[in-house]
Amino acid sequence: MILDSGLLTLYHPATSSAVRPGNRPEDGLTAYYRGWYGARVVGYNRFFAGQGAGTRVDQIVRILRPGTPVAAMPENRGGDLCRLADGFLYRVVQAQYLTDEESGDDVVDLSLERIGEKFEKGAGI
């Protein structure tokens, strides 16, 4: 298992009480995990299975299993969010808990759907 694609941050989604008027919803996110990730290949089967379920899988990444369970996107389009090294924000569509074949470590493969554009704090208005 090689986790060399960059740092990933997982967030619990913002609640309406966490976002003040005029702020971006991202300002209300609560980070709960930060660690290295390894990029995986989005295969045809997974891509088209997501399309059939009304979702899109833009990235698949592998991380070491965090102490807190990762909430995948339920029917109401909620779920945890994630920021990759590319600067984009993603919604967790699926969290698959595994044991890595090479190292024996407990890992999680996250299927991610990109939402919005790149956002950098302090940039823009």
Side-chain angles (χ1 to χ4, degrees), residues 106-122:
D106 291 331
V107 295
V108 182
D109 281 355
L110 302 175
S111 298
L112 305 173
E113 175 184 26
R114 191 173 98 185
I115 56 174
E117 295 299 318
K118 188 184 289 191
F119 173 72
E120 297 173 359
K121 282 201 175 262

Side-chain angles (χ1 to χ4, degrees), residues 1-3 33 36 40 62-66 96-109:
M1 163 179 65
I2 299 175
L3 305 178
Y33 175 84
W36 291 94
R40 312 284 288 171
R62 177 167 285 182
I63 60 172
L64 292 174
R65 189 175 298 181
Q96 187 175 10
Y97 294 86
L98 308 162
T99 300
D100 186 70
E101 313 84 40
E102 297 172 4
S103 67
D105 290 328
D106 291 331
V107 295
V108 182
D109 281 355

Side-chain angles (χ1 to χ4, degrees), residues 9-106:
T9 305
L10 286 172
Y11 302 94
H12 291 303
T15 61
S16 56
S17 63
V19 182
R20 294 186 302 216
N23 286 355
R24 291 177 179 244
E26 294 185 48
D27 293 337
L29 296 177
T30 305
Y32 70 92
Y33 175 84
R34 184 167 170 87
W36 291 94
Y37 71 92
R40 312 284 288 171
V41 175
V42 180
Y44 286 114
N45 289 338
R46 186 171 296 214
F47 178 80
F48 286 110
Q51 292 287 331
T55 62
R56 188 179 71 237
V57 177
D58 295 312
Q59 295 273 350
I60 298 176
V61 298
R62 177 167 285 182
I63 60 172
L64 292 174
R65 189 175 298 181
T68 304
V70 179
M73 178 179 70
E75 295 301 317
N76 65 359
R77 309 284 299 165
D80 287 346
L81 302 174
C82 158
R83 183 173 312 281
L84 299 181
D86 64 6
F88 289 101
L89 195 64
Y90 294 83
R91 178 177 287 115
V92 178
V93 176
Q94 181 186 41
Q96 187 175 10
Y97 294 86
L98 308 162
T99 300
D100 186 70
E101 313 84 40
E102 297 172 4
S103 67
D105 290 328
D106 291 331

